[in-house]
Amino acid sequence: MTETESIAYDVVVIGGGPVGENVADRTRAAGLTTALVESELLGGECSYWACMPSKALLRPVIAQADARRLPGLAQAVQGPLDAPAVLARRNYFAADWKDDGQVGWLEGTGTVLYRGQGRLAGPRTVTVTGPDGTVTTLTARHAVAVSTGTRAQLPDLPGLAEVKPWTSREATSAQAVPGRLIVVGGGVVATEMATAWQALGSRVTMLVRGKGLLNRMEPFAGELVAEALTEAGVDVRTGTSVESVSRENGTVVAVTSAGDRIEGDEILFATGRVPHTDDIGLETVGLEPGSWLDVDDSLRVTGTDWLYGVGDVNHRALLTHQGKYQARVAGAAIAARATGGTVAEEPWGPHAATADHHAVPQVVFTDPEAAAVGLSLAEAEQAGHRVRAVDVEFSSVAGAGLYGDGYKGRARMVVDLEDEILRGVTFVGPGVGELIHSATVAVAGHVPVSRLWHVVPSYPTLSEVWLRLLEAYRDN
């Protein structure tokens, strides 16, 4: 092992996914010298094993489902998807798992890239162990930002290691369609991958420990998605846990809590995420390896004046867009503190990631789509708000009928009865992902219901569901 002398920067970022890239972009834009350390592909999980490849897999599935709702087009799209073509397009959107384009962008910002494993080695110090074993020491004059994200959590099951299970990485990067796929879990990854691989030709069985799907959203979201998955041919089994797994002559066998033996060619465990902080030197600064990083609203780690935890590592909102939002806030806060400026930490200020608490949007790209922002009814009530849920069916909206025959979906807004603002909004139905930003504006902006009456939706679009919701609130 060869060790080089220390090199100083204003800011050092550990982790080069979208979050780390955005921290570096913001600190460089503020004139701070910045180094970024990445051990795998620059662009991270989202670019190669999550957002981009998963949505590339799902887009043809959703397009075909929409087409099948339209007379005059439905007969032309009854055949199976061209799986090799879908996988090839997915490969393109994952840049064939090469990061040249991302590297070019980063270099254009003036950020210095270090390839290798980054580890804290005391306050404001990071060591980088390169692929050749060379160790480079970086020191940060002002801040170190940890943006190493999360990795898949696998259960402690007998026989699991020998089975070589899929995680989200294998599910989004597989180069062939398995004949039979077992999906363990009922969350976003599980439902999206069940949707994609069933449509591509797999016979999918979902084993869900809980009572339903998408349990962090309004209950009707999981119910409508489960109903559609079942109609598409997925065998959805709720209240079912896996007790053991094995691979026999190439076939995966999962034994459930009910004693059933489920056979498949592959098995995907989509059972949660854990912080990717077990080998980044947290112990050298008094923190526990493998832990989530507790941060304030400027993303600074509790008890420090130099360390930031940005993105999934802080467990505030495990979503790429929310992590990039945090990166913009953290970059601005780092720059303000580095230059002696005023740090505005009040809610909704430039240096506070307030939306993490009140207005986190998410879209689940199943068929139907499920989209939500803010609090569910149960969460709002648990938080002590006096609220009322207002529900309408999309069948009451002309734009839904035009979107496709048999359109099925539901919308809910959770109204704070004291302030008459929205605490949360949920849409379920084909195409509703494009509606959620309007809801995010309403929730984040605390737009009064009285003002929403003057936000006129275009006719005939899905957006007219807003008018139906407001009418239902007025009339009840």
Side-chain angles (χ1 to χ4, degrees), residues 308-335:
Y308 291 73
V310 193
D312 287 5
V313 290
N314 59 43
H315 207 229
R316 288 164 67 104
L318 276 66
L319 296 159
T320 295
H321 49 271
Q322 212 68 23
K324 291 165 72 173
Y325 160 73
Q326 292 177 14
R328 296 190 292 272
V329 170
I334 290 168

Side-chain angles (χ1 to χ4, degrees), residues 54 84 92 172 298 312 401 415 429 431:
S54 67
Y92 169 80
T172 56
S298 72
D312 287 5
V415 183

